[in-house]
Amino acid sequence: MRIAALLVALMITLGAAPACAADVTAAQGVIRAQEQAFVHDDAAAAYSYAAPAIKEIFPAPDIFMSMVQNGYAPVYRHKSFEFGETKSEGNWVSQHVHIVDANGEAWEALYTLEQQADGSYKITGCSLLKPGREV
């Protein structure tokens, strides 16, 4: 009886894993697409990945891009941008990104994304820290 319960629990857990993996893959795709939009100075594309709440604060692509250029220079221009630890819960994903900025300094970015009604993920925030510091 215990073995059967363990097998059922294992099947449920394994069955749920692909959905989480798909969510993580989708969220990472959004982050990577926005990162590439920054590389190409494409404000409209970068802005398209921002969640509605972010768009309320920054009501136009050029305003959003100026904020990123001035407040998130390591995200805007960098030497490397690599995904780290990811957490997924419900319709939220948090994604750590290891960044080396244009000057060779290491940074950690913590992105949060929320799944929208249409199933897409949009970026709800990004916290930028020097490694070893808490959010």
Side-chain angles (χ1 to χ4, degrees):
M1 187 63 99
R2 287 184 182 170
I3 293 173
L6 180 61
L7 287 174
V8 168
L10 183 61
M11 289 171 45
I12 290 170
T13 301
L14 292 176
C20 290
D23 291 342
V24 168
T25 299
Q28 288 178 349
V30 168
I31 295 167
R32 184 64 73 185
Q34 188 180 63
E35 178 255 346
Q36 287 300 299
F38 292 144
V39 167
H40 295 100
D41 288 316
D42 188 341
Y47 189 69
S48 73
Y49 300 107
I54 299 298
K55 290 180 177 181
E56 286 181 25
I57 299 167
F58 304 100
D62 59 328
I63 296 169
F64 174 75
M65 188 67 111
S66 178
M67 176 274 300
V68 172
Q69 291 167 336
N70 294 312
Y72 293 84
V75 172
Y76 178 65
R77 292 289 186 257
H78 51 270
K79 291 181 179 178
S80 69
F81 191 95
E82 301 297 326
F83 293 119
E85 179 184 1
T86 306
K87 292 182 182 173
S88 175
E89 186 173 324
N91 61 343
W92 288 88
V93 174
S94 64
Q95 174 68 60
H96 285 264
V97 179
H98 309 294
I99 299 172
V100 176
D101 71 14
N103 299 319
E105 290 188 59
W107 294 86
E108 292 290 324
L110 175 61
Y111 281 83
T112 55
L113 299 93
E114 182 179 25
Q115 191 171 33
Q116 306 300 298
D118 67 0
S120 69
Y121 277 90
K122 298 289 183 182
I123 298 169
T124 59
C126 178
S127 299
L128 193 57
L129 305 168
K130 294 297 283 178
R133 294 197 180 156
E134 293 295 318
V135 176

